[in-house]
Amino acid sequence: MSRRVRVRFAPSPTGPLHMGGIRTALYNYLLAKQQGGDFILRIEDTDQNRYVPGAEQYIIDSLKWCGIEPNEGVGFGDGPHAPYRQSERKHLYREYADKLIASENAYYAFDTAEELDQMRQNLQAQGVPNPAYNSVTRQYMKNSLTLSHDEVERRLASGEPYVIRFKMPRNEEVKFHDEIRGWVVFNTSQLDDKVLFKSDGMPTYHLANVADDYMMQITHVIRGEEWLSSAPLHVLLYRALGIEEAMPKFAHLSLILKPDGNGKLSKRDGDRLGFPSFALNWTDPESKETSIGYRERGFFPEAFINFLALLGWNPGGDVEVMSKEEMIKLFSLEKVHKAGARFDFEKAKWFNHQYLKQKPEAELAEAIKEQLLAKGYSFDANYVAGFCRLMKERATFLNDLLEQGYYFFEDIKTYDTETLKKKYKKELRSTFDNITETISAASDFSATGLETILKEFISTNGLKIGEVMPVLRLALAGTMQGPTVFDMMALLGKEKTIARLKKSFNYFDSL
């Protein structure tokens, strides 16, 4: 009988959630929703030394903004396996560590930090490039494999600090199937005896991860490629604990690469090239330095996750813009790429432009209402909706609407004088005065009506479109960019249009 699909996103609260983490959460979410399963947020805070204040809430806020909310977990409501914060599950892990000790798959190690450093120095002196505590070196260290039973008991009874290490088999092949990469094989001779339980009574990532996935009945572990090297230990832990039949399927996601494709994308790349690395603004609690987020940069959450989804996954066909529901329907781990996906900020902006164009004008009007009021503009819902209809085809972000089309709300600040000098001829001033009078007399002030009137005037007076329309555009907007001349006039209305034309033509004559 197949198990109910249960996946988890399990970040550590050691800093802001990078966009790569958001992509991992998204793929987990898509699989869970498609299969009618559960998506869990588990906070893996076993490393208390690296805990960063505010990071946990930032993770929660980022997932909420992106619209990929778990149905169980920290910040989203308890389910049957609460608590979901590992520091609150501390009492549960000792049982698993003790079971590994009892089955001789793990051992106590009493080595001090100084003794570990000395071991590494000795090995380096012997030409060992990557010294490790492993199946060879453990034979010469201070642990329950080399000390007598009585000595071990004495040290434990006296409260001497220790860790519990996994006893890695000396020369075995560990083979498991990855849902993205196929069969993966590791030899244990290349693996060290990882610490499973620390002297402070907290488990390490490895033990807590496996124990929690088992207790929470996780069926699929979808995580970043950086955890692939840990997978053989996790497979061995399932076996050693006698719970191999409950082992989840593994899927290790490829890296998001730098824009040039050379190496893993980092926050430094974003700082250097001018794009965000995080979903939301993040202020470092120590340096107080703020890193801008995609939300604050002006991205729609649905555009952001659409872009992220396709960084490493191709549903087939040439469709790129997809709703969350469409992504859920099409998603499969088999179509996630093994190779890294190159980050392209221009493509991210393209996605936002597509979503902005799809937004209803009334929704966009409401979205920029605060911006308008902050600038001292009055807010007329119908007028602003009309403005958004004209401007959204050319805008990438919400802020672009007002930045590019401010002249719909106030007088023109600057004119493109270089173009004006080429296009405006003072000897045609009387012609433009006649055009102004013709427009003023128009009974139909719609864009279609104005287009008919102006084209008829140009034809009747033996003029060329290129002599008239660029000048009218500059007179109305100050720039050659923007909506059609007829659309601008219709939105501004007759009174504002006539006043602006007269004022602009007077200015043109002064150049």
Side-chain angles (χ1 to χ4, degrees), residues 263-471:
K264 181 181 178 181
L265 185 73
S266 70
K267 177 184 177 299
R268 287 188 296 275
D269 297 311
D271 293 342
R272 176 171 56 89
L273 298 172
F275 58 81
S277 297
F278 312 128
L280 315 178
N281 273 7
W282 167 258
T283 300
D284 188 282
E286 289 190 8
S287 69
K288 305 303 179 187
E289 176 188 353
T290 296
S291 300
I292 194 168
Y294 279 84
R295 180 180 65 183
E296 290 75 14
R297 182 68 173 77
F299 279 82
F300 297 112
E302 54 268 44
F304 178 53
I305 65 165
N306 192 162
F307 166 67
L308 276 185
L310 297 178
L311 275 180
W313 168 61
N314 186 343
D318 56 3
V319 177
E320 291 186 287
V321 178
M322 292 176 284
S323 67
K324 191 164 59 176
E325 290 68 32
E326 289 170 323
M327 286 188 271
I328 289 169
K329 182 179 178 180
L330 294 170
F331 184 76
S332 71
L333 289 172
E334 291 75 15
K335 292 183 179 180
V336 175
H337 301 163
K338 298 177 187 177
R342 184 180 300 186
F343 178 82
D344 182 354
F345 188 57
E346 291 304 311
K347 188 68 173 182
K349 289 162 62 177
W350 178 85
F351 271 101
N352 208 66
H353 173 59
Q354 301 307 311
Y355 276 87
L356 193 151
K357 287 196 300 181
Q358 292 177 4
K359 294 282 185 185
E361 286 84 26
E363 184 180 329
L364 291 175
E366 194 60 33
I368 65 170
K369 182 175 181 178
E370 287 188 16
Q371 291 182 39
L372 287 162
L373 296 177
K375 290 179 178 292
Y377 303 149
S378 60
F379 182 80
D380 177 281
N382 290 331
Y383 182 83
V384 178
F387 161 74
C388 291
R389 178 180 61 82
L390 298 186
M391 297 302 299
K392 69 178 186 177
E393 291 292 329
R394 298 161 181 82
T396 299
F397 302 109
L398 281 175
N399 288 346
D400 294 341
L401 295 170
L402 278 181
E403 287 178 10
Q404 296 174 8
Y406 77 92
Y407 48 83
F408 281 101
F409 300 92
E410 60 177 279
D411 289 341
I412 295 170
K413 296 175 184 176
T414 58
Y415 290 89
D416 179 356
T417 53
E418 290 300 314
T419 304
L420 263 173
K421 290 174 182 177
K422 297 175 184 176
K423 297 292 183 180
Y424 182 69
K425 299 175 182 177
K426 293 182 181 180
E427 57 268 27
L428 289 178
R429 172 59 193 267
S430 60
T431 298
F432 285 109
D433 286 340
N434 290 336
I435 288 174
T436 303
E437 290 176 10
T438 300
I439 293 171
S440 181
S443 56
D444 179 1
F445 216 76
S446 67
T448 304
L450 290 166
E451 182 176 6
T452 300
I453 292 169
L454 278 170
K455 286 185 175 179
E456 185 178 322
F457 180 94
I458 291 170
S459 175
T460 301
N461 288 274
L463 299 168
K464 297 178 181 177
I465 292 287
E467 290 179 304
V468 176
M469 300 310 292
V471 177

Side-chain angles (χ1 to χ4, degrees), residues 173-229:
E173 278 197 346
V174 182
K175 185 178 182 181
F176 64 93
H177 187 266
D178 186 284
E179 299 298 301
I180 296 169
R181 300 161 189 277
W183 287 100
V184 180
V185 181
F186 285 84
N187 192 287
T188 58
S189 62
Q190 304 300 313
L191 306 174
D192 60 335
D193 291 4
K194 292 291 187 190
V195 174
L196 301 178
F197 211 79
K198 297 177 286 186
S199 56
D200 63 1
M202 287 291 283
T204 61
Y205 163 80
H206 303 290
L207 179 62
N209 180 280
V210 168
D212 280 340
D213 283 348
Y214 173 67
M215 287 187 278
M216 294 181 181
Q217 301 177 353
I218 300 302
T219 60
H220 296 72
V221 169
I222 305 171
R223 59 189 178 187
E225 182 181 277
E226 63 269 24
W227 296 111
L228 183 61
S229 61

Side-chain angles (χ1 to χ4, degrees), residues 13-16 48 50-58 282-286:
T14 55
Q48 294 291 297
R50 296 179 60 215
Y51 178 83
V52 173
E56 180 184 295
Q57 188 60 47
Y58 180 86
W282 167 258
T283 300
D284 188 282
E286 289 190 8

